[in-house]
Amino acid sequence: MAGTVHVIDHPLVQHKLSLMRSRETSTGTFRNLLREISMLLGYEVCRDLPTTLVPIDTPIAPMMAPILDGKKTVLVSIMRAGSGILDGMLEILPSARVGHIGLYRDPKTLVAVEYYYRVPDNMGDRDAIVVDPMLATGNSAVAAVDRLKESSPRSIKFVCLLTCPEGLAAFHAQHPDVPVYTAAIDERLNEKSYIVPGLGDAGDRLFGTK
Ligand code: URA
């Protein structure tokens, strides 16, 4: 079963992504753009969240008005670059609960190794949105979703800024049930597992560590 991929090709998203890709873009600007673009991605990702009607009084009349249904959504950030997307998504989902998964890429094997895991209780009643800017080899995304599935959330979606055919294939080979939302599918991975043309190392660009 092939997995679902949603490419958010809205002009505002594409414009901001192009600014982020440029090597001339400063750390501060990159950080602001990631926050802004994440709000726009989040808007699309939340499109099918269930709503329920509640009675309210407007200044003019009573009405039944829709609000988000069920327990609060959980945003699960893959550390460390996931925090850039998390910040933007929290602006539009301010009551969301937050989970963290710490993974590092073993430089020799490129396998994802877990060093931190904490998610809210009652995951069985919650919709989870996993965030990481780059879905490259897919190793971290697969490991994060493997781990998250142990807590059986009601649903899981994966949100990234950029991905590539190799990453999507690897991810959906393991998790065909998890839809991916992305601003672009780039050409390929290079020999160092960077996305081409990509935007470089998302964590370094976000935190100014290089
Ligand atoms: N992680 C990044 O930060 N950038 C890439 O291109 C691939 C993985």
Side-chain angles (χ1 to χ4, degrees):
M1 177 171 95
T4 310
V5 185
H6 301 266
V7 179
I8 317 293
D9 59 358
H10 191 287
L12 277 179
V13 170
Q14 296 305 313
H15 178 79
K16 290 177 194 299
L17 177 59
S18 298
L19 296 176
M20 293 181 76
R21 288 181 187 274
S22 167
R23 67 184 315 151
E24 306 299 327
T25 298
S26 70
T27 300
T29 304
F30 186 92
R31 197 176 287 153
N32 279 336
L33 287 165
L34 183 55
R35 194 178 52 78
E36 289 170 7
I37 210 170
S38 301
M39 288 192 254
L40 299 169
L41 296 178
Y43 177 77
E44 284 300 326
V45 173
C46 292
R47 186 173 282 285
D48 59 359
L49 285 184
T51 57
T52 187
L53 294 176
V54 294
I56 60 164
D57 294 313
T58 78
I60 310 296
M63 70 173 287
M64 296 298 287
I67 60 164
L68 292 176
D69 192 21
K71 282 213 186 300
K72 301 285 185 270
T73 298
V74 185
L75 301 174
V76 181
S77 169
I78 302 182
M79 289 149 69
R80 70 186 162 145
S83 69
I85 297 193
L86 176 66
D87 289 350
M89 298 266 270
L90 279 172
E91 301 250 350
I92 59 159
L93 285 171
S95 306
R97 304 305 190 237
V98 176
H100 287 93
I101 302 182
L103 296 165
Y104 70 85
R105 193 157 55 155
D106 183 297
K108 288 210 181 81
T109 61
L110 302 182
V111 167
V113 183
E114 182 182 304
Y115 64 89
Y116 187 81
Y117 180 78
R118 185 85 173 94
V119 296
D121 294 337
N122 310 113
M123 288 296 285
D125 299 328
R126 298 182 187 281
D127 298 305
I129 302 174
V130 183
V131 301
D132 192 2
M134 312 298 271
L135 176 52
T137 60
N139 291 344
S140 306
V142 167
V145 173
D146 280 345
R147 189 70 160 88
L148 192 59
K149 281 185 173 175
E150 290 173 16
S151 64
S152 306
R154 185 167 69 173
S155 71
I156 306 179
K157 292 173 177 167
F158 190 93
V159 181
C160 58
L161 194 56
L162 276 185
T163 186
C164 56
E166 299 91 322
L168 283 173
F171 181 72
H172 275 147
Q174 300 303 317
H175 297 295
D177 53 320
V178 177
V180 173
Y181 293 75
T182 185
I185 304 173
D186 274 8
E187 207 178 297
R188 63 183 170 89
L189 280 184
N190 71 11
E191 60 295 344
K192 292 187 173 154
S193 296
Y194 280 93
I195 293 174
V196 181
L199 51 71
D201 185 299
D204 282 340
R205 297 208 56 194
L206 180 61
F207 297 113
T209 39
K210 221 169 224 166

